[in-house]
Amino acid sequence: MTLGFEQEIGALSTGEEGVDSIIHCPTLRDELQARESPFISHNYFGGGFVSDEDRVCLQSIKFAGERSAGHRSHTNLAALALRPASKGRRISEDTQPLTGYLTLPDHAMRSGPREIIYHNPKDTHIAVCTVGGICPGVNDVLRSLVHKVLDYGVPESNILGVRYGFRGFYDKEHKPVVLTRRMVEEIHLEGGTILGTSRAEPNVPEIVKRLDLWKIDILFVVGGRGGNAAAELIHRECRAKKVPCCVVAVPKSIDNDLLLIDKTFGFETAVEEAQKAILAAKVEASSAYKGIGMVKLMGRQSGFITVSAALASGLVDAVLIPEVQFTLDGPGGLFAYLERIMETKGHCVVAVAEGAGQDMIDAKVAQALVDGVGRPQLRDVGIWLKSKFKQHFKDADIKYIEPTCMIRSIPTTAGDRVYCKMLAHGAVHGAFAGFTGITVGLVNTHYCYLPIPLIIQAPRKVDPHGELWNRLRSSIGQPNFE
């Protein structure tokens, strides 16, 4: 019998009081035949294998008390809100949590190659799809997924790339393509995704029918919170329909807004590229009489890119993010602060995340509008803020830069490229080890497997009382705009 969402979460961890506990991942091992890994002969290139008994510590710091810096962020991570997936509810990146909370166990399961695998590579059929918005690194992940399954011995003809997200499972005009080594050899040098993508809501029963019809043994889903939520529903439908397919997700989010995971691929590249826009805003502002440089960056609900790019550049005077409310007018408002900056320097630079200030733009309609996948439709905070600046700073020269598409569409930096490869390898190892309904990520600098429900409960956000925001404020001297 398939467990419900809350029941399955409760079954994910084991451990008695006073004894270390671990998050357990769902598997199909009882339904599959165990066999030795094809890498046994050379001990996985001399590096050895990973055991299911290896542990990744989820909480790396033991705080002395509630007054310790960063304690609040730690507590928020250890007590996450749950929301069960209900029938008919849209898969949304903006899922609102309920009042129930989950205390995480001490450890997660380590990612990596196992000595025993549960698929015969020569007979294994693979499907890969990319969903959601584009992000630096998607092609890197695709390339590394294909290379690693080929390393296991899967025939090239057995690797299918599903076109344009989930719609490719049932869109007659865009049939799956065979992913060969030659096809993916240089795609990591390009941005975007060679498979195409879409945000269309998945028809889960239809997808599972296709998985069964095509005899797919392993499905890899490269996507964000919405994509991971869909992968979890596909996993559940496979279990309910007794379709023996391992569903493994690779978490993608340029906003870095997935719970528990240290960082998502593409985030490092986005921060690096965002600095170029900030530098341009600085040059424009400093070259003009009473210049104001404005940069709007990605971040629907989480301001990680904006905060990190501002910290790295050292050029930003004020940072506005969705997690921290602000006011414009009054002695403690943004305008008064920028006036003081301009009196001192003659110009200023402001970085704003796209989800900031939504309650100030138009409270009556901001929450009523939704996009095609059920997410609240954001009002354009950049245009709104620029108009407010024009009204207040009458003789200022305001330059507004929005580099979103330029950031999303570029190839990865070297660090992100390596990270994409490790995530993809971990996903392949996990699938061949028989795990299903999991995602792979870096937790406390170690790669591990996590059941998908854990990372999609709510968006990860910058803690207004946490270390990251404190580092920014102490670095640039930004007050609370109250």
Side-chain angles (χ1 to χ4, degrees):
M1 182 177 69
T2 303
L3 293 174
F5 184 90
E6 290 170 308
Q7 290 176 302
E8 185 168 292
I9 286 291
L12 293 178
S13 62
T14 60
E16 300 175 1
E17 186 175 354
V19 179
D20 286 350
S21 57
I22 183 172
I23 298 174
H24 283 292
C25 298
T27 77
L28 294 182
R29 291 178 177 178
D30 291 342
E31 304 172 30
L32 302 172
Q33 183 178 351
R35 67 192 71 237
E36 284 190 344
S37 167
F39 305 119
I40 285 285
S41 61
H42 50 71
N43 196 30
Y44 194 69
F45 303 96
F49 294 91
V50 170
S51 168
D52 285 354
E53 300 304 315
D54 290 345
R55 303 286 189 262
V56 174
C57 186
L58 289 175
Q59 300 167 2
S60 59
I61 301 176
K62 182 175 177 59
F63 291 93
E66 294 184 2
R67 292 179 58 84
S68 295
H71 175 270
R72 179 164 175 152
S73 298
H74 168 85
T75 302
N76 287 344
L77 188 64
L80 303 174
L82 291 177
R83 177 166 185 164
S86 58
K87 186 175 182 181
R89 181 170 64 85
R90 284 183 176 272
I91 297 170
S92 170
E93 294 185 0
D94 296 318
T95 300
Q96 296 297 317
L98 296 181
T99 55
Y101 287 87
L102 167 71
T103 300
L104 291 175
D106 302 303
H107 300 97
M109 189 173 292
R110 190 178 171 202
S111 166
R114 266 60 176 175
E115 287 185 283
I116 302 299
I117 64 173
Y118 292 83
H119 296 279
N120 182 358
K122 293 182 179 180
D123 298 326
T124 299
H125 290 77
I126 310 282
V128 186
C129 68
T130 57
V131 299
I134 63 171
C135 169
V138 177
N139 276 338
D140 295 76
V141 171
L142 289 175
R143 178 178 186 267
S144 296
L145 286 172
V146 172
H147 281 184
K148 187 50 61 176
V149 297
L150 290 174
D151 287 347
Y152 265 91
V154 176
E156 284 188 336
S157 59
N158 289 8
I159 309 171
L160 294 182
V162 181
R163 304 292 308 282
Y164 297 107
F166 293 119
R167 71 167 66 243
F169 280 98
Y170 35 80
D171 188 337
K172 294 181 180 179
E173 294 184 10
H174 301 99
K175 295 182 179 180
V177 296
V178 175
L179 296 177
T180 64
R181 184 181 293 274
R182 183 175 181 179
M183 178 182 292
V184 303
E185 194 60 35
E186 297 181 355
I187 64 172
H188 62 302
L189 304 178
E190 307 171 7
T193 164
I194 61 164
L195 292 180
T197 186
S198 73
R199 296 184 185 274
E201 188 175 2
N203 183 334
V204 175
E206 199 64 30
I207 291 171
V208 173
K209 285 182 182 179
R210 293 299 188 278
L211 293 174
D212 190 25
L213 180 65
W214 299 342
K215 304 299 180 185
I216 299 298
D217 302 290
I218 298 172
L219 169 64
F220 294 111
V221 177
V222 184
R225 288 187 60 233
N228 274 259
E232 172 65 12
L233 294 181
I234 293 169
H235 153 67
R236 291 176 177 280
E237 183 73 5
C238 285
R239 303 304 297 132
K241 294 295 191 293
K242 300 187 183 304
V243 175
C245 177
C246 292
V247 181
V248 177
V250 180
K252 168 192 69 69
S253 172
I254 200 169
D255 290 349
N256 198 36
D257 61 352
L258 293 177
L259 291 173
L260 299 178
I261 298 172
D262 291 356
K263 65 175 182 177
T264 50
F265 75 80
F267 173 70
E268 181 180 303
T269 303
V271 171
E272 189 70 29
E273 191 70 10
Q275 290 182 82
K276 297 178 182 179
I278 291 174
L279 176 59
K282 174 70 174 181
V283 172
E284 288 281 2
S286 61
S287 300
Y289 173 75
K290 290 188 176 181
I292 299 178
M294 281 183 56
V295 181
K296 187 179 82 169
L297 298 171
M298 294 85 74
R300 292 182 60 85
Q301 293 181 287
S302 305
F304 287 104
I305 289 180
T306 308
V307 174
S308 298
L311 265 174
S313 69
L315 301 174
V316 179
D317 299 297
V319 175
L320 308 176
I321 60 175
E323 297 89 337
V324 180
Q325 292 186 327
F326 62 93
T327 58
L328 297 178
D329 302 305
L334 175 64
F335 290 157
Y337 173 69
L338 293 182
E339 285 173 355
R340 295 193 295 271
I341 295 293
M342 293 181 72
E343 286 176 4
T344 303
K345 297 166 48 176
H347 67 276
C348 65
V349 177
V350 179
V352 56
E354 62 181 326
Q358 293 298 305
D359 58 327
M360 302 171 64
I361 301 173
D362 194 338
K364 294 181 180 179
V365 298
Q367 294 301 316
L369 300 175
V370 295
D371 63 15
V373 292
R375 303 179 303 175
Q377 184 71 55
L378 296 181
R379 315 293 286 186
D380 195 328
V381 67
I383 299 298
W384 171 80
L385 195 59
K386 181 181 178 182
S387 68
K388 292 294 183 182
F389 280 175
K390 283 185 174 181
Q391 294 172 20
H392 185 84
F393 301 98
K394 301 294 185 182
D395 55 349
D397 189 348
I398 302 171
K399 303 299 184 183
Y400 174 55
I401 301 173
E402 184 179 350
T404 299
C405 293
M406 295 176 64
I407 293 173
R408 285 163 29 119
S409 60
I410 63 173
T412 53
T413 58
D416 254 336
R417 185 156 291 161
V418 173
Y419 187 42
C420 289
K421 183 171 293 188
M422 295 302 99
L423 290 176
H425 288 186
V428 174
H429 294 318
F432 272 94
F435 294 116
T436 184
I438 64 166
T439 195
V440 59
L442 195 67
V443 178
N444 289 335
T445 72
H446 294 281
Y447 293 91
C448 68
Y449 297 131
L450 297 167
I452 291 174
L454 287 179
I455 72 163
I456 62 173
Q457 300 168 69
R460 179 188 180 197
K461 297 184 177 183
V462 175
D463 186 350
H465 304 280
E467 289 181 287
L468 180 61
W469 184 245
N470 178 258
R471 287 169 184 162
L472 173 79
R473 290 188 58 206
S474 63
S475 175
I476 67 176
Q478 177 173 316
N480 288 320
F481 301 126
E482 298 175 342

